[in-house]
């Protein structure tokens, strides 16, 4: 057991890479090219003095060889110096910034070199690096928010389940209250189950692990079946239902994905429509698209809410927070992005919301 623990600790150790004082700018091929360039440049003075090397060599002999070697070394060092002046400071900036990012610091930003043109390779590289770090920082923030939100969303129903099951231990609890407590526990477990299911779905869709095959089926039948699953809701709230669909529209799509979209959009429509309101489901076709519009006469949303409506766990209307977990529309957007569906939203405060889904034929 002790050996296993020591082995596990050994795996967790991070490898420290020593920082080199001298930076290698070339591969072996690069150094050979630099040496050949230096040797060529070193020949310029004698060629100017005497056009024929063999005559020059016969006159000066060993002094020429010594001169030639020294001149080649000077030229070689001069070439390296020019390269270092032009690239060393830029490469050092990139190297230092990369080390910081590797340690988890995503606030790094490299300043552009004002002495160079904006479209120079160095500034383009700096700009792309800054964009990459900004994206990594955004992803890290989203990950932290996601973990925080998941923890909160899971903790709430678990807390309710714990409190009510503890209360159910009371043997003197009236039967009617006991049934209410049991119903509350069931609702919380259902909510927790839906949350976990949606998180798994979202994760699989984002990582492209769900690869169901497309097949031909009647979209109108699917919409009708999905709508009928909310029959109890619209009857209980006295909602006026307006439905306009073609007799039959055959699509070659992933049934499960579209079913998730219709279920979430209709669920939101009925959830946010007050008693006596109206929900519309309109399906039409053009030469290029099949269009589905789901509209309600609920509270509507403002521009700020509209900008975040597809964010994970975002709920613009907190009065209905207990009825969902803020993942439904995030699922809808991910599915739409993956399958090339166009989804837009039109809404006005106190006048309702309309989602428009377009599917290419």
């Amino acid at each position: 057991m002790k050996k296993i623990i020591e082995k596990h600790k050994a795996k967790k150790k991070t490898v420290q890479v020593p920082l080199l004082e001298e930076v290698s700018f070339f591969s072996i091929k690069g150094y050979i090219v630099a040496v050949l360039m230096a040797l060529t440049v070193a020949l310029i003075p004698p060629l100017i003095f005497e056009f024929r090397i063999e005559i020059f060599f016969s006159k000066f002999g060993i002094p020429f060889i010594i001169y030639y070697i020294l001149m080649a070394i000077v030229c070689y060092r001069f070439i390296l110096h020019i390269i270092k002046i032009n690239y060393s400071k830029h490469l050092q900036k990139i190297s230092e910034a990369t080390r910081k990012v590797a340690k988890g610091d995503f606030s790094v930003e490299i300043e552009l070199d004002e002495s160079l043109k904006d479209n120079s390779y160095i500034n383009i590289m700096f700009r792309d690096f800054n964009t990459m770090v900004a994206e990594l920082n955004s992803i890290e923030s989203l990950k932290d928010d996601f973990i925080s939100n998941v923890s909160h969303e899971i903790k709430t129903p678990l807390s309710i389940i714990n409190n009510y099951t503890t209360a159910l231990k009371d043997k003197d609890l009236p039967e009617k209250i006991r049934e209410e407590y049991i119903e509350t526990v069931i609702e919380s477990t259902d909510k927790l189950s839906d949350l976990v299911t949606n998180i798994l779905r979202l994760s699989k869709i984002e990582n492209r692990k769900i690869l169901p095959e497309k097949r031909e089926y009647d979209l109108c039948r699917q919409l009708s079946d999905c709508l009928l699953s909310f029959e109890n809701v619209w009857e209980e709230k006295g909602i006026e239902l307006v439905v306009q669909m073609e007799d039959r529209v055959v699509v070659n799509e992933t049934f499960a994905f579209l079913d998730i979209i219709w279920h979430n959009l209709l669920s939101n429509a009925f959830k946010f429509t007050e008693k006596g309101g109206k929900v519309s489901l309109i399906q039409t076709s053009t030469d290029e698209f099949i269009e589905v519009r789901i509209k309600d006469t609920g509270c509507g949303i403002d521009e700020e809410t509209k900008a975040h409506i597809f964010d994970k766990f975002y709920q613009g209307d907190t009065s209905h927070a207990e009825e969902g977990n803020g993942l439904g529309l995030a699922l809808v957007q991910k599915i739409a992005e993956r399958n090339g569906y166009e989804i837009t939203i039109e809404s006005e405060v106190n006048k309702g919301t309309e989602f428009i889904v377009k599917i290419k034929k």
Side-chain angles (χ1 to χ4, degrees):
M1 183 66 181
K2 187 177 179 182
K3 289 182 179 179
I4 294 172
I5 293 171
E6 289 176 353
K7 187 177 180 182
H8 178 68
K9 287 181 178 178
K11 284 183 179 179
K12 291 180 70 178
K13 289 181 181 178
T14 55
V15 179
Q16 298 292 333
V17 180
L19 302 180
L20 301 176
E21 293 181 0
E22 287 293 328
V23 179
S24 178
F25 291 97
F26 299 130
S27 61
I28 293 176
K29 183 179 178 181
Y31 278 109
I32 292 172
V33 171
V35 170
L36 291 175
M37 287 176 61
L39 293 173
T40 304
V41 173
L43 282 173
I44 293 175
L47 285 173
I48 293 173
F49 182 79
E50 192 73 53
F51 288 100
R52 295 181 63 186
I53 294 296
E54 59 272 17
I55 296 175
F56 189 89
F57 183 75
S58 62
K59 284 184 179 180
F60 295 96
I62 293 175
F64 167 71
I65 295 174
I66 295 171
Y67 158 81
Y68 183 60
I69 292 172
L70 290 175
M71 192 66 181
I73 292 172
V74 170
C75 293
Y76 176 72
R77 296 304 298 178
F78 178 74
I79 291 169
L80 285 185
H81 180 69
I82 294 297
I83 291 172
K84 286 187 177 182
I85 288 175
N86 287 283
Y87 295 100
S88 177
K89 60 181 181 180
H90 302 306
L91 293 176
Q92 189 175 2
K93 280 184 181 180
I94 285 284
S95 180
E96 290 174 357
T98 304
R99 288 194 193 99
K100 290 180 181 178
V101 172
K103 291 178 181 178
D105 181 5
F106 298 111
S107 62
V108 179
E109 184 175 359
I110 303 176
E111 293 184 5
L112 302 185
D113 192 331
E114 295 181 357
S115 64
L116 301 175
K117 294 180 180 180
D118 284 341
N119 61 347
S120 66
Y121 285 114
I122 295 296
N123 278 337
I124 289 173
M125 182 170 61
F126 285 173
R127 198 177 291 111
D128 290 342
F129 181 87
N130 291 337
T131 302
M132 178 193 71
V133 174
E135 288 295 325
L136 287 172
N137 188 36
S138 176
I139 291 170
E140 187 70 15
S141 299
L142 285 173
K143 185 186 75 174
D144 292 341
D145 290 343
F146 182 77
I147 292 171
S148 176
N149 286 323
V150 168
S151 300
H152 173 74
E153 291 292 336
I154 290 177
K155 187 177 179 180
T156 302
L158 282 177
S159 178
I160 293 172
I161 292 169
N162 181 64
N163 292 336
Y164 278 88
T165 50
T166 302
L168 285 169
K169 289 182 178 181
D170 186 359
K171 295 179 180 180
D172 298 327
L173 196 67
E175 190 61 30
K176 185 176 181 180
I177 295 177
R178 186 184 298 277
E179 289 178 2
E180 289 177 2
Y181 285 3
I182 291 172
E183 190 63 33
T184 302
V185 170
I186 292 171
E187 288 176 2
S188 295
T189 53
D190 287 342
K191 183 177 179 181
L192 191 59
S193 176
D194 289 342
L195 173 64
V196 173
T197 301
N198 282 335
I199 289 172
L200 290 173
R201 280 177 176 173
L202 196 56
S203 176
K204 288 180 179 179
I205 290 170
E206 287 179 333
N207 294 294
R208 296 184 176 271
K209 290 182 180 178
I210 295 181
L211 299 170
E213 294 182 0
K214 293 184 177 182
R215 64 180 177 86
E216 288 190 352
Y217 66 91
D218 183 7
L219 179 66
C220 296
R221 176 63 182 272
Q222 184 185 37
L223 287 168
S224 299
D225 290 343
C226 191
L227 187 61
L228 287 171
S229 66
F230 294 96
E231 186 175 3
N232 291 336
V233 180
W234 84 64
E235 286 184 350
E236 183 181 339
K237 297 178 75 171
I239 293 173
E240 179 187 351
L241 199 61
V242 177
V243 180
Q244 294 179 15
M245 287 190 290
E246 297 172 87
D247 293 335
R248 179 178 171 83
V249 175
V250 176
V251 294
N252 185 22
E253 296 292 337
T254 304
F255 184 92
F257 280 163
L258 281 176
D259 201 53
I260 291 171
I261 290 178
W262 310 138
H263 181 85
N264 279 288
L265 295 184
L266 285 170
S267 176
N268 278 352
F270 287 119
K271 178 168 68 176
F272 292 107
T273 301
E274 301 296 334
K275 291 183 178 180
K278 183 168 69 174
V279 171
S280 303
L281 173 60
I282 312 296
Q283 179 273 314
T284 56
S285 295
T286 64
D287 293 338
E288 191 176 356
F289 293 102
I290 296 168
E291 185 177 279
V292 177
R293 292 174 173 262
I294 297 174
K295 185 177 182 181
D296 63 63
T297 56
C299 57
I301 57 176
D302 55 28
E303 291 300 319
E304 183 181 355
T305 303
K306 193 186 295 184
H308 299 280
I309 198 70
F310 294 110
D311 292 353
K312 297 171 187 175
F313 295 105
Y314 185 82
Q315 291 179 303
D317 183 3
T318 55
S319 64
H320 291 81
E322 62 181 17
E323 299 176 33
N325 48 50
L327 286 177
L329 290 179
L331 269 171
V332 168
Q333 187 200 37
K334 289 297 177 184
I335 291 171
E337 285 179 355
R338 174 172 174 175
N339 292 276
Y341 308 145
E342 290 183 24
I343 179 165
T344 54
I345 177 172
E346 295 177 2
S347 185
E348 191 174 344
V349 178
N350 298 323
K351 290 190 177 180
T353 303
E354 182 176 29
F355 285 91
I356 303 109
V357 180
K358 290 183 178 180
I359 304 167
K360 285 186 179 180
K361 285 188 172 179

